[in-house]
Amino acid sequence: KKSMATSPQARMLAMGLSAEDFNMSGSSITSAEKDKAQKIMDAVVRLPDNRMCADCSALGPRWASMNLGIILCLNCSGIHRRLGVHISKVKSVTLDGWKVKWAQWMKENGNRVSNEYFEANKPASKKKPDDSTSSAALEDYIRAKYERMEWIP
């Protein structure tokens, strides 16, 4: 089957964003912007597709890979941090300050849209990790998905 999913980079361009827009160093966020962005992020995590971790389906995730546009559990967020910021930029949904454009990006993407791209050609035999998956197998799954991009269209 041919997937209509598009890459995060293509979706960023369509929204008028670039990789530079996700540069976290030296970015100052006013309290007004932080409050507005937090309201958006509160809504983002309540969306049905984002109520489970994008990678292991754990309930109630509160971390995000802001450049990939996904919501993650604490365990998977740690693995994403190890991938490096050139692949995944991890922030807490509630503890870190967000810019409105980052929150809007998260709202426009989310776990379903991202998984449609990164898991487009995942074989049915390759099961999604769950709470019984070993740490090593979970990390291998995440690296296959985002670092090696084994299943993209």
Side-chain angles (χ1 to χ4, degrees):
K1 82 183 185 197
K2 187 81 172 144
S3 173
M4 297 303 292
T6 57
S7 72
Q9 294 82 1
R11 292 191 311 272
M12 277 182 202
L13 286 174
M15 286 183 68
L17 297 170
S18 71
E20 283 302 307
D21 287 311
F22 293 90
N23 184 352
M24 294 185 280
S25 63
S27 53
S28 60
I29 306 170
T30 66
S31 61
E33 181 173 24
K34 192 184 285 189
D35 291 347
K36 184 176 180 182
Q38 191 59 55
K39 284 183 176 65
I40 297 168
M41 289 305 298
D42 290 345
V44 166
V45 295
R46 285 194 305 269
L47 294 171
D49 295 328
N50 297 334
R51 290 183 184 162
M52 293 188 300
C53 175
D55 293 331
C56 76
S57 302
L59 294 174
R62 288 294 179 262
W63 291 83
S65 172
M66 66 178 211
N67 62 311
L68 296 174
I70 57 175
I71 305 296
L72 302 164
C73 69
L74 178 63
N75 192 26
C76 289
S77 74
I79 296 170
H80 274 257
R81 283 190 192 279
R82 290 197 296 275
L83 296 176
V85 295
H86 62 291
I87 296 174
S88 187
K89 294 183 181 182
V90 177
K91 289 177 74 69
S92 167
V93 169
T94 54
L95 302 176
D96 292 321
W98 285 75
K99 289 186 175 186
V100 170
K101 64 183 166 187
W102 298 341
Q104 288 291 100
W105 163 252
M106 295 295 298
K107 183 179 174 186
E108 294 296 321
N109 289 278
N111 294 352
R112 182 187 52 78
V113 171
S114 181
N115 284 341
E116 283 174 357
Y117 177 74
F118 286 103
E119 297 177 353
N121 295 314
K122 182 174 70 67
S125 60
K126 183 71 173 176
K127 298 295 180 211
K128 193 170 190 113
D130 59 26
D131 58 5
S132 69
T133 305
S134 72
S135 295
L138 177 61
E139 182 159 350
D140 184 64
Y141 181 90
I142 290 171
R143 288 190 181 277
K145 186 173 174 179
Y146 303 105
E147 187 177 59
R148 299 189 302 269
M149 295 192 282
E150 292 180 8
W151 311 308
I152 64 171

